[in-house]
Each structure stands twice: as C-alpha cells, then as structure tokens.
Amino acid sequence: VVKAAEGKADSVKTALDTYRTNQVAIYSAYDPTVAGILEDGRVVAHGDYVVLVLGSSADVYSAVDTAIDEAFK
C-alpha cells in the first residue's frame, strides 16, 4: 500500500504496474509459477492510495477486492 502525494496516484499506479510487468519478464525464465502470480496481479487505486495486489491463486482476488473496497469506504 502506497499513500501517494495528492494528485499523484496515477503516477504511482503506473510505476507499480511497470514494476509488476518487469518482474513477470524476470521470473518467466526463472520460475513460471511466480511469473503467473505476478501476471495475475493488479494495481488498484483509491483516491491517493495505491495497492499492489498479488495472490497465490486467481480466486483470491475477489476477497481482496472486497477487503480493499471496505477499507476505503
């Protein structure tokens, strides 16, 4: 979780997406399982907060999305 400076959440989101994409490229050759987790990951922004979400399986994301939405109400 990152609290961006006011109005900078999009920049932080882009940076975290780039980081995640770069990690996918690194792990694709090294550990395909980790690469898959990174590839399925997402970056979610709520106001000035940005969250990098990585889960061990795709079915985790629904619960994580709900928790993030609840946290930022």
Short mmCIF file of all heavy atoms in Angstrom, two decimals:
data_model
loop_
_atom_site.label_atom_id
_atom_site.label_comp_id
_atom_site.label_asym_id
_atom_site.label_seq_id
_atom_site.Cartn_x
_atom_site.Cartn_y
_atom_site.Cartn_z
N VAL A 1 0.86 -1.17 0.00
CA VAL A 1 0.00 0.00 0.00
C VAL A 1 0.90 1.23 0.00
O VAL A 1 1.83 1.32 0.80
CB VAL A 1 -0.93 0.03 1.23
CG1 VAL A 1 -1.76 1.29 1.25
CG2 VAL A 1 -1.80 -1.21 1.28
N VAL A 2 0.60 2.16 -0.91
CA VAL A 2 1.34 3.41 -1.00
C VAL A 2 0.36 4.56 -0.88
O VAL A 2 -0.69 4.56 -1.53
CB VAL A 2 2.07 3.52 -2.36
CG1 VAL A 2 2.76 4.86 -2.50
CG2 VAL A 2 3.05 2.38 -2.54
N LYS A 3 0.68 5.53 -0.03
CA LYS A 3 -0.11 6.77 0.00
C LYS A 3 0.66 7.77 -0.84
O LYS A 3 1.72 8.27 -0.45
CB LYS A 3 -0.30 7.30 1.41
CG LYS A 3 -1.20 8.54 1.40
CD LYS A 3 -1.53 9.03 2.78
CE LYS A 3 -2.57 10.11 2.78
NZ LYS A 3 -2.33 11.28 2.00
N ALA A 4 0.13 8.05 -2.00
CA ALA A 4 0.77 8.98 -2.93
C ALA A 4 0.54 10.42 -2.49
O ALA A 4 -0.42 10.71 -1.78
CB ALA A 4 0.20 8.78 -4.34
N ALA A 5 1.42 11.28 -2.93
CA ALA A 5 1.18 12.71 -2.72
C ALA A 5 -0.12 13.08 -3.44
O ALA A 5 -0.50 12.43 -4.43
CB ALA A 5 2.34 13.52 -3.28
N GLU A 6 -0.78 14.08 -2.95
CA GLU A 6 -2.07 14.48 -3.52
C GLU A 6 -1.95 14.64 -5.04
O GLU A 6 -1.07 15.34 -5.54
CB GLU A 6 -2.55 15.78 -2.90
CG GLU A 6 -3.96 16.15 -3.30
CD GLU A 6 -4.48 17.37 -2.56
OE1 GLU A 6 -4.02 17.62 -1.42
OE2 GLU A 6 -5.34 18.05 -3.12
N GLY A 7 -2.83 13.95 -5.77
CA GLY A 7 -2.88 14.06 -7.22
C GLY A 7 -1.85 13.22 -7.95
O GLY A 7 -1.76 13.28 -9.18
N LYS A 8 -1.08 12.42 -7.24
CA LYS A 8 -0.01 11.63 -7.87
C LYS A 8 -0.30 10.13 -7.92
O LYS A 8 0.56 9.34 -8.29
CB LYS A 8 1.33 11.85 -7.14
CG LYS A 8 1.81 13.28 -7.16
CD LYS A 8 2.16 13.71 -8.56
CE LYS A 8 2.72 15.13 -8.55
NZ LYS A 8 3.04 15.58 -9.89
N ALA A 9 -1.50 9.73 -7.58
CA ALA A 9 -1.83 8.31 -7.56
C ALA A 9 -1.66 7.65 -8.92
O ALA A 9 -1.18 6.51 -9.00
CB ALA A 9 -3.26 8.10 -7.05
N ASP A 10 -1.99 8.35 -10.00
CA ASP A 10 -1.83 7.76 -11.33
C ASP A 10 -0.36 7.46 -11.64
O ASP A 10 -0.04 6.42 -12.22
CB ASP A 10 -2.40 8.68 -12.42
CG ASP A 10 -3.92 8.66 -12.44
OD1 ASP A 10 -4.52 7.69 -11.93
OD2 ASP A 10 -4.51 9.60 -12.99
N SER A 11 0.53 8.35 -11.22
CA SER A 11 1.96 8.13 -11.43
C SER A 11 2.45 6.92 -10.64
O SER A 11 3.23 6.10 -11.14
CB SER A 11 2.77 9.36 -11.03
OG SER A 11 2.44 10.45 -11.84
N VAL A 12 1.99 6.80 -9.40
CA VAL A 12 2.37 5.66 -8.56
C VAL A 12 1.80 4.38 -9.14
O VAL A 12 2.49 3.36 -9.22
CB VAL A 12 1.90 5.86 -7.11
CG1 VAL A 12 2.13 4.61 -6.28
CG2 VAL A 12 2.61 7.06 -6.49
N LYS A 13 0.56 4.42 -9.60
CA LYS A 13 -0.07 3.24 -10.21
C LYS A 13 0.72 2.79 -11.43
O LYS A 13 1.00 1.60 -11.61
CB LYS A 13 -1.52 3.55 -10.59
CG LYS A 13 -2.30 2.34 -11.08
CD LYS A 13 -3.76 2.69 -11.27
CE LYS A 13 -4.60 1.48 -11.54
NZ LYS A 13 -4.63 1.05 -12.91
N THR A 14 1.11 3.73 -12.27
CA THR A 14 1.90 3.40 -13.46
C THR A 14 3.24 2.78 -13.07
O THR A 14 3.67 1.79 -13.66
CB THR A 14 2.13 4.66 -14.32
OG1 THR A 14 0.85 5.15 -14.75
CG2 THR A 14 3.00 4.38 -15.53
N ALA A 15 3.89 3.35 -12.06
CA ALA A 15 5.19 2.82 -11.61
C ALA A 15 5.05 1.40 -11.07
O ALA A 15 5.88 0.53 -11.37
CB ALA A 15 5.79 3.74 -10.55
N LEU A 16 3.99 1.14 -10.29
CA LEU A 16 3.79 -0.20 -9.76
C LEU A 16 3.42 -1.20 -10.86
O LEU A 16 3.85 -2.35 -10.83
CB LEU A 16 2.73 -0.20 -8.66
CG LEU A 16 3.19 0.41 -7.33
CD1 LEU A 16 2.01 0.51 -6.37
CD2 LEU A 16 4.31 -0.38 -6.72
N ASP A 17 2.64 -0.76 -11.84
CA ASP A 17 2.32 -1.63 -12.98
C ASP A 17 3.59 -1.97 -13.76
O ASP A 17 3.79 -3.12 -14.17
CB ASP A 17 1.31 -0.97 -13.91
CG ASP A 17 -0.12 -1.29 -13.55
OD1 ASP A 17 -0.38 -2.40 -13.06
OD2 ASP A 17 -0.99 -0.42 -13.78
N THR A 18 4.45 -0.99 -13.96
CA THR A 18 5.72 -1.22 -14.65
C THR A 18 6.60 -2.19 -13.87
O THR A 18 7.19 -3.11 -14.43
CB THR A 18 6.46 0.11 -14.88
OG1 THR A 18 5.63 0.96 -15.68
CG2 THR A 18 7.79 -0.09 -15.56
N TYR A 19 6.66 -1.98 -12.56
CA TYR A 19 7.43 -2.89 -11.70
C TYR A 19 6.91 -4.32 -11.83
O TYR A 19 7.68 -5.27 -12.01
CB TYR A 19 7.34 -2.43 -10.24
CG TYR A 19 7.91 -3.43 -9.28
CD1 TYR A 19 9.29 -3.53 -9.08
CD2 TYR A 19 7.07 -4.29 -8.56
CE1 TYR A 19 9.81 -4.48 -8.21
CE2 TYR A 19 7.59 -5.22 -7.68
CZ TYR A 19 8.96 -5.31 -7.51
OH TYR A 19 9.47 -6.24 -6.65
N ARG A 20 5.59 -4.48 -11.75
CA ARG A 20 4.99 -5.82 -11.85
C ARG A 20 5.30 -6.45 -13.20
O ARG A 20 5.71 -7.62 -13.29
CB ARG A 20 3.47 -5.74 -11.64
CG ARG A 20 2.77 -7.08 -11.56
CD ARG A 20 1.27 -6.91 -11.42
NE ARG A 20 0.70 -6.16 -12.52
CZ ARG A 20 0.46 -6.67 -13.74
NH1 ARG A 20 0.74 -7.92 -14.00
NH2 ARG A 20 -0.08 -5.92 -14.67
N THR A 21 5.17 -5.69 -14.27
CA THR A 21 5.45 -6.19 -15.61
C THR A 21 6.92 -6.61 -15.75
O THR A 21 7.22 -7.65 -16.34
CB THR A 21 5.10 -5.12 -16.67
OG1 THR A 21 3.71 -4.81 -16.55
CG2 THR A 21 5.40 -5.59 -18.07
N ASN A 22 7.81 -5.80 -15.21
CA ASN A 22 9.24 -6.14 -15.25
C ASN A 22 9.53 -7.41 -14.47
O ASN A 22 10.35 -8.24 -14.90
CB ASN A 22 10.09 -4.99 -14.71
CG ASN A 22 10.10 -3.79 -15.62
OD1 ASN A 22 9.79 -3.89 -16.80
ND2 ASN A 22 10.44 -2.64 -15.07
N GLN A 23 8.87 -7.60 -13.35
CA GLN A 23 9.07 -8.81 -12.56
C GLN A 23 8.55 -10.05 -13.30
O GLN A 23 9.15 -11.12 -13.22
CB GLN A 23 8.38 -8.68 -11.20
CG GLN A 23 9.01 -7.64 -10.30
CD GLN A 23 10.46 -7.94 -10.00
OE1 GLN A 23 10.80 -8.99 -9.47
NE2 GLN A 23 11.34 -7.02 -10.36
N VAL A 24 7.46 -9.89 -14.04
CA VAL A 24 6.95 -11.01 -14.86
C VAL A 24 8.02 -11.42 -15.85
O VAL A 24 8.31 -12.62 -16.02
CB VAL A 24 5.65 -10.62 -15.60
CG1 VAL A 24 5.29 -11.68 -16.64
CG2 VAL A 24 4.50 -10.44 -14.62
N ALA A 25 8.65 -10.45 -16.51
CA ALA A 25 9.69 -10.76 -17.51
C ALA A 25 10.86 -11.48 -16.85
O ALA A 25 11.40 -12.45 -17.42
CB ALA A 25 10.16 -9.47 -18.18
N ILE A 26 11.26 -11.05 -15.67
CA ILE A 26 12.39 -11.68 -14.97
C ILE A 26 12.04 -13.11 -14.57
O ILE A 26 12.81 -14.05 -14.81
CB ILE A 26 12.78 -10.86 -13.73
CG1 ILE A 26 13.40 -9.54 -14.16
CG2 ILE A 26 13.72 -11.65 -12.82
CD1 ILE A 26 13.56 -8.53 -13.04
N TYR A 27 10.87 -13.31 -13.98
CA TYR A 27 10.51 -14.61 -13.44
C TYR A 27 10.02 -15.59 -14.50
O TYR A 27 9.97 -16.79 -14.24
CB TYR A 27 9.47 -14.47 -12.32
CG TYR A 27 10.11 -14.11 -11.01
CD1 TYR A 27 10.19 -12.79 -10.60
CD2 TYR A 27 10.66 -15.10 -10.20
CE1 TYR A 27 10.80 -12.45 -9.41
CE2 TYR A 27 11.26 -14.77 -9.00
CZ TYR A 27 11.33 -13.45 -8.61
OH TYR A 27 11.94 -13.12 -7.42
N SER A 28 9.68 -15.12 -15.68
CA SER A 28 9.20 -16.02 -16.73
C SER A 28 10.22 -17.12 -17.03
O SER A 28 9.85 -18.27 -17.24
CB SER A 28 8.87 -15.25 -18.00
OG SER A 28 7.72 -14.47 -17.80
N ALA A 29 11.48 -16.76 -17.06
CA ALA A 29 12.53 -17.74 -17.35
C ALA A 29 12.98 -18.46 -16.08
O ALA A 29 13.46 -19.59 -16.14
CB ALA A 29 13.72 -17.04 -18.00
N TYR A 30 12.83 -17.82 -14.94
CA TYR A 30 13.37 -18.35 -13.68
C TYR A 30 12.37 -19.24 -12.95
O TYR A 30 12.70 -20.33 -12.52
CB TYR A 30 13.79 -17.18 -12.79
CG TYR A 30 14.26 -17.57 -11.44
CD1 TYR A 30 15.47 -18.24 -11.26
CD2 TYR A 30 13.51 -17.27 -10.31
CE1 TYR A 30 15.90 -18.62 -10.01
CE2 TYR A 30 13.94 -17.64 -9.04
CZ TYR A 30 15.13 -18.32 -8.91
OH TYR A 30 15.55 -18.67 -7.66
N ASP A 31 11.15 -18.76 -12.79
CA ASP A 31 10.13 -19.51 -12.05
C ASP A 31 8.75 -19.18 -12.62
O ASP A 31 8.13 -18.19 -12.23
CB ASP A 31 10.19 -19.14 -10.57
CG ASP A 31 9.30 -20.02 -9.70
OD1 ASP A 31 8.34 -20.64 -10.23
OD2 ASP A 31 9.56 -20.08 -8.48
N PRO A 32 8.26 -20.01 -13.54
CA PRO A 32 6.97 -19.74 -14.19
C PRO A 32 5.80 -19.62 -13.22
O PRO A 32 4.85 -18.88 -13.48
CB PRO A 32 6.78 -20.93 -15.13
CG PRO A 32 8.15 -21.46 -15.36
CD PRO A 32 8.91 -21.19 -14.09
N THR A 33 5.85 -20.31 -12.09
CA THR A 33 4.77 -20.21 -11.10
C THR A 33 4.69 -18.80 -10.54
O THR A 33 3.61 -18.21 -10.46
CB THR A 33 4.97 -21.22 -9.95
OG1 THR A 33 5.04 -22.54 -10.51
CG2 THR A 33 3.85 -21.14 -8.94
N VAL A 34 5.83 -18.25 -10.16
CA VAL A 34 5.87 -16.89 -9.64
C VAL A 34 5.49 -15.91 -10.74
O VAL A 34 4.77 -14.94 -10.50
CB VAL A 34 7.26 -16.56 -9.05
CG1 VAL A 34 7.34 -15.10 -8.65
CG2 VAL A 34 7.55 -17.45 -7.85
N ALA A 35 5.96 -16.16 -11.95
CA ALA A 35 5.60 -15.29 -13.08
C ALA A 35 4.09 -15.24 -13.26
O ALA A 35 3.52 -14.17 -13.51
CB ALA A 35 6.28 -15.76 -14.36
N GLY A 36 3.42 -16.38 -13.11
CA GLY A 36 1.96 -16.43 -13.22
C GLY A 36 1.28 -15.62 -12.15
O GLY A 36 0.29 -14.91 -12.41
N ILE A 37 1.79 -15.70 -10.92
CA ILE A 37 1.22 -14.91 -9.82
C ILE A 37 1.37 -13.42 -10.12
O ILE A 37 0.43 -12.64 -9.94
CB ILE A 37 1.90 -15.28 -8.48
CG1 ILE A 37 1.50 -16.70 -8.06
CG2 ILE A 37 1.56 -14.27 -7.39
CD1 ILE A 37 2.31 -17.27 -6.91
N LEU A 38 2.55 -13.04 -10.57
CA LEU A 38 2.79 -11.64 -10.89
C LEU A 38 1.92 -11.18 -12.06
O LEU A 38 1.39 -10.07 -12.05
CB LEU A 38 4.27 -11.43 -11.23
CG LEU A 38 5.23 -11.54 -10.05
CD1 LEU A 38 6.65 -11.79 -10.54
CD2 LEU A 38 5.16 -10.30 -9.19
N GLU A 39 1.78 -12.03 -13.04
CA GLU A 39 0.97 -11.69 -14.22
C GLU A 39 -0.50 -11.49 -13.85
O GLU A 39 -1.17 -10.60 -14.38
CB GLU A 39 1.11 -12.79 -15.27
CG GLU A 39 0.67 -12.37 -16.64
CD GLU A 39 1.10 -13.38 -17.68
OE1 GLU A 39 2.30 -13.46 -17.97
OE2 GLU A 39 0.21 -14.11 -18.17
N ASP A 40 -1.00 -12.31 -12.93
CA ASP A 40 -2.39 -12.19 -12.50
C ASP A 40 -2.61 -11.03 -11.53
O ASP A 40 -3.74 -10.67 -11.25
CB ASP A 40 -2.85 -13.48 -11.81
CG ASP A 40 -3.00 -14.64 -12.78
OD1 ASP A 40 -3.10 -14.39 -14.00
OD2 ASP A 40 -3.00 -15.79 -12.31
N GLY A 41 -1.52 -10.48 -11.01
CA GLY A 41 -1.62 -9.39 -10.04
C GLY A 41 -2.26 -8.15 -10.64
O GLY A 41 -2.49 -8.05 -11.84
N ARG A 42 -2.53 -7.22 -9.76
CA ARG A 42 -3.17 -5.99 -10.21
C ARG A 42 -2.75 -4.84 -9.33
O ARG A 42 -2.30 -5.04 -8.20
CB ARG A 42 -4.67 -6.13 -10.23
CG ARG A 42 -5.24 -6.41 -8.84
CD ARG A 42 -6.69 -6.70 -8.88
NE ARG A 42 -6.87 -8.02 -9.45
CZ ARG A 42 -8.00 -8.64 -9.57
NH1 ARG A 42 -9.08 -8.07 -9.14
NH2 ARG A 42 -8.09 -9.82 -10.10
N VAL A 43 -2.94 -3.66 -9.83
CA VAL A 43 -2.69 -2.45 -9.06
C VAL A 43 -4.01 -1.70 -8.98
O VAL A 43 -4.65 -1.44 -10.00
CB VAL A 43 -1.60 -1.57 -9.72
CG1 VAL A 43 -1.38 -0.31 -8.91
CG2 VAL A 43 -0.30 -2.35 -9.86
N VAL A 44 -4.44 -1.41 -7.75
CA VAL A 44 -5.73 -0.78 -7.51
C VAL A 44 -5.50 0.57 -6.85
O VAL A 44 -4.71 0.68 -5.92
CB VAL A 44 -6.59 -1.67 -6.58
CG1 VAL A 44 -7.93 -1.04 -6.31
CG2 VAL A 44 -6.73 -3.07 -7.15
N ALA A 45 -6.19 1.60 -7.34
CA ALA A 45 -6.08 2.93 -6.75
C ALA A 45 -7.42 3.35 -6.15
O ALA A 45 -8.47 3.12 -6.73
CB ALA A 45 -5.65 3.94 -7.80
N HIS A 46 -7.34 3.94 -4.97
CA HIS A 46 -8.49 4.54 -4.28
C HIS A 46 -8.03 5.89 -3.77
O HIS A 46 -7.26 5.96 -2.82
CB HIS A 46 -8.96 3.67 -3.11
CG HIS A 46 -9.81 2.51 -3.50
ND1 HIS A 46 -11.16 2.63 -3.67
CD2 HIS A 46 -9.50 1.23 -3.77
CE1 HIS A 46 -11.65 1.46 -4.01
NE2 HIS A 46 -10.66 0.59 -4.08
N GLY A 47 -8.47 6.94 -4.42
CA GLY A 47 -8.01 8.28 -4.03
C GLY A 47 -6.51 8.37 -4.17
O GLY A 47 -5.95 8.05 -5.22
N ASP A 48 -5.82 8.76 -3.11
CA ASP A 48 -4.37 8.88 -3.14
C ASP A 48 -3.66 7.59 -2.70
O ASP A 48 -2.44 7.56 -2.60
CB ASP A 48 -3.91 10.04 -2.23
CG ASP A 48 -4.31 11.39 -2.79
OD1 ASP A 48 -4.38 11.53 -4.03
OD2 ASP A 48 -4.54 12.32 -2.00
N TYR A 49 -4.42 6.54 -2.43
CA TYR A 49 -3.83 5.26 -2.04
C TYR A 49 -3.77 4.33 -3.24
O TYR A 49 -4.72 4.22 -4.01
CB TYR A 49 -4.65 4.62 -0.93
CG TYR A 49 -4.51 5.33 0.40
CD1 TYR A 49 -5.36 6.38 0.73
CD2 TYR A 49 -3.51 4.96 1.29
CE1 TYR A 49 -5.22 7.04 1.94
CE2 TYR A 49 -3.37 5.62 2.50
CZ TYR A 49 -4.22 6.65 2.82
OH TYR A 49 -4.08 7.32 4.00
N VAL A 50 -2.64 3.63 -3.35
CA VAL A 50 -2.44 2.67 -4.44
C VAL A 50 -1.98 1.36 -3.82
O VAL A 50 -1.09 1.36 -2.95
CB VAL A 50 -1.40 3.18 -5.46
CG1 VAL A 50 -1.28 2.22 -6.63
CG2 VAL A 50 -1.76 4.58 -5.95
N VAL A 51 -2.58 0.25 -4.25
CA VAL A 51 -2.30 -1.05 -3.67
C VAL A 51 -1.84 -2.00 -4.77
O VAL A 51 -2.52 -2.16 -5.78
CB VAL A 51 -3.55 -1.64 -2.98
CG1 VAL A 51 -3.25 -2.97 -2.33
CG2 VAL A 51 -4.14 -0.65 -1.98
N LEU A 52 -0.68 -2.63 -4.55
CA LEU A 52 -0.22 -3.71 -5.42
C LEU A 52 -0.73 -5.00 -4.82
O LEU A 52 -0.41 -5.32 -3.66
CB LEU A 52 1.31 -3.72 -5.52
CG LEU A 52 1.95 -4.91 -6.23
CD1 LEU A 52 1.49 -4.99 -7.69
CD2 LEU A 52 3.47 -4.82 -6.16
N VAL A 53 -1.54 -5.75 -5.57
CA VAL A 53 -2.16 -6.96 -5.07
C VAL A 53 -1.62 -8.16 -5.83
O VAL A 53 -1.71 -8.23 -7.06
CB VAL A 53 -3.70 -6.91 -5.24
CG1 VAL A 53 -4.35 -8.16 -4.70
CG2 VAL A 53 -4.27 -5.66 -4.59
N LEU A 54 -1.04 -9.11 -5.08
CA LEU A 54 -0.54 -10.36 -5.65
C LEU A 54 -1.12 -11.50 -4.81
O LEU A 54 -1.04 -11.45 -3.58
CB LEU A 54 0.99 -10.42 -5.60
CG LEU A 54 1.72 -9.29 -6.32
CD1 LEU A 54 3.21 -9.37 -6.03
CD2 LEU A 54 1.46 -9.36 -7.80
N GLY A 55 -1.70 -12.48 -5.47
CA GLY A 55 -2.30 -13.59 -4.74
C GLY A 55 -1.78 -14.92 -5.24
O GLY A 55 -1.27 -15.02 -6.36
N SER A 56 -1.91 -15.93 -4.42
CA SER A 56 -1.40 -17.25 -4.79
C SER A 56 -2.27 -17.96 -5.82
O SER A 56 -1.83 -18.91 -6.46
CB SER A 56 -1.25 -18.11 -3.54
OG SER A 56 -2.51 -18.24 -2.90
N SER A 57 -3.51 -17.49 -5.98
CA SER A 57 -4.39 -18.05 -7.00
C SER A 57 -5.42 -17.00 -7.40
O SER A 57 -5.70 -16.07 -6.64
CB SER A 57 -5.08 -19.32 -6.49
OG SER A 57 -5.91 -19.01 -5.40
N ALA A 58 -5.98 -17.16 -8.56
CA ALA A 58 -6.91 -16.17 -9.10
C ALA A 58 -8.15 -16.00 -8.24
O ALA A 58 -8.73 -14.92 -8.19
CB ALA A 58 -7.29 -16.54 -10.53
N ASP A 59 -8.57 -17.05 -7.53
CA ASP A 59 -9.79 -16.95 -6.73
C ASP A 59 -9.62 -16.07 -5.49
O ASP A 59 -10.60 -15.69 -4.85
CB ASP A 59 -10.30 -18.34 -6.34
CG ASP A 59 -9.33 -19.13 -5.50
OD1 ASP A 59 -8.11 -18.89 -5.61
OD2 ASP A 59 -9.78 -20.01 -4.75
N VAL A 60 -8.42 -15.69 -5.16
CA VAL A 60 -8.14 -14.83 -4.01
C VAL A 60 -8.58 -13.39 -4.28
O VAL A 60 -8.96 -12.67 -3.36
CB VAL A 60 -6.63 -14.87 -3.68
CG1 VAL A 60 -6.26 -13.84 -2.63
CG2 VAL A 60 -6.22 -16.26 -3.25
N TYR A 61 -8.55 -12.98 -5.52
CA TYR A 61 -8.75 -11.57 -5.85
C TYR A 61 -10.13 -11.03 -5.51
O TYR A 61 -10.26 -9.87 -5.15
CB TYR A 61 -8.41 -11.31 -7.32
CG TYR A 61 -6.93 -11.47 -7.56
CD1 TYR A 61 -6.43 -12.51 -8.31
CD2 TYR A 61 -6.03 -10.58 -6.99
CE1 TYR A 61 -5.07 -12.67 -8.50
CE2 TYR A 61 -4.67 -10.72 -7.17
CZ TYR A 61 -4.20 -11.77 -7.94
OH TYR A 61 -2.85 -11.92 -8.11
N SER A 62 -11.13 -11.84 -5.57
CA SER A 62 -12.47 -11.38 -5.22
C SER A 62 -12.52 -10.94 -3.76
O SER A 62 -13.03 -9.85 -3.45
CB SER A 62 -13.50 -12.48 -5.48
OG SER A 62 -14.78 -12.04 -5.10
N ALA A 63 -11.97 -11.75 -2.88
CA ALA A 63 -11.95 -11.41 -1.45
C ALA A 63 -11.07 -10.19 -1.20
O ALA A 63 -11.41 -9.33 -0.39
CB ALA A 63 -11.47 -12.60 -0.63
N VAL A 64 -9.95 -10.12 -1.89
CA VAL A 64 -9.04 -8.98 -1.72
C VAL A 64 -9.70 -7.70 -2.21
O VAL A 64 -9.64 -6.65 -1.55
CB VAL A 64 -7.70 -9.23 -2.44
CG1 VAL A 64 -6.84 -7.97 -2.46
CG2 VAL A 64 -6.95 -10.37 -1.78
N ASP A 65 -10.36 -7.76 -3.36
CA ASP A 65 -11.06 -6.59 -3.89
C ASP A 65 -12.12 -6.10 -2.90
O ASP A 65 -12.25 -4.90 -2.66
CB ASP A 65 -11.71 -6.89 -5.23
CG ASP A 65 -10.70 -7.06 -6.36
OD1 ASP A 65 -9.55 -6.60 -6.20
OD2 ASP A 65 -11.07 -7.65 -7.38
N THR A 66 -12.86 -7.03 -2.31
CA THR A 66 -13.88 -6.67 -1.32
C THR A 66 -13.23 -6.02 -0.10
O THR A 66 -13.72 -4.99 0.38
CB THR A 66 -14.68 -7.92 -0.89
OG1 THR A 66 -15.32 -8.46 -2.05
CG2 THR A 66 -15.71 -7.58 0.16
N ALA A 67 -12.14 -6.58 0.37
CA ALA A 67 -11.44 -6.01 1.54
C ALA A 67 -10.92 -4.62 1.26
O ALA A 67 -11.03 -3.71 2.09
CB ALA A 67 -10.30 -6.94 1.96
N ILE A 68 -10.37 -4.40 0.08
CA ILE A 68 -9.86 -3.09 -0.29
C ILE A 68 -11.02 -2.09 -0.37
O ILE A 68 -10.93 -0.96 0.16
CB ILE A 68 -9.09 -3.14 -1.62
CG1 ILE A 68 -7.77 -3.89 -1.41
CG2 ILE A 68 -8.81 -1.73 -2.16
CD1 ILE A 68 -7.03 -4.20 -2.71
N ASP A 69 -12.11 -2.48 -1.01
CA ASP A 69 -13.27 -1.59 -1.10
C ASP A 69 -13.80 -1.22 0.28
O ASP A 69 -14.13 -0.06 0.53
CB ASP A 69 -14.39 -2.25 -1.92
CG ASP A 69 -14.07 -2.32 -3.41
OD1 ASP A 69 -13.18 -1.57 -3.87
OD2 ASP A 69 -14.72 -3.12 -4.10
N GLU A 70 -13.85 -2.19 1.18
CA GLU A 70 -14.33 -1.93 2.54
C GLU A 70 -13.37 -1.00 3.29
O GLU A 70 -13.82 -0.13 4.04
CB GLU A 70 -14.49 -3.24 3.31
CG GLU A 70 -15.66 -4.07 2.86
CD GLU A 70 -17.00 -3.41 3.15
OE1 GLU A 70 -17.17 -2.86 4.24
OE2 GLU A 70 -17.86 -3.44 2.26
N ALA A 71 -12.10 -1.18 3.10
CA ALA A 71 -11.10 -0.38 3.81
C ALA A 71 -11.15 1.10 3.40
O ALA A 71 -10.83 1.97 4.19
CB ALA A 71 -9.70 -0.93 3.56
N PHE A 72 -11.57 1.36 2.17
CA PHE A 72 -11.56 2.72 1.66
C PHE A 72 -12.94 3.37 1.61
O PHE A 72 -13.13 4.39 0.95
CB PHE A 72 -10.89 2.79 0.30
CG PHE A 72 -9.41 2.54 0.39
CD1 PHE A 72 -8.87 1.33 0.00
CD2 PHE A 72 -8.57 3.51 0.91
CE1 PHE A 72 -7.51 1.11 0.09
CE2 PHE A 72 -7.22 3.30 1.00
CZ PHE A 72 -6.68 2.09 0.60
N LYS A 73 -13.91 2.82 2.34
CA LYS A 73 -15.25 3.42 2.39
C LYS A 73 -15.22 4.67 3.21
O LYS A 73 -14.51 4.84 4.14
CB LYS A 73 -16.25 2.44 2.99
CG LYS A 73 -16.76 1.46 1.98
CD LYS A 73 -17.89 0.67 2.58
CE LYS A 73 -18.52 -0.19 1.50
NZ LYS A 73 -19.64 -0.94 1.99
#
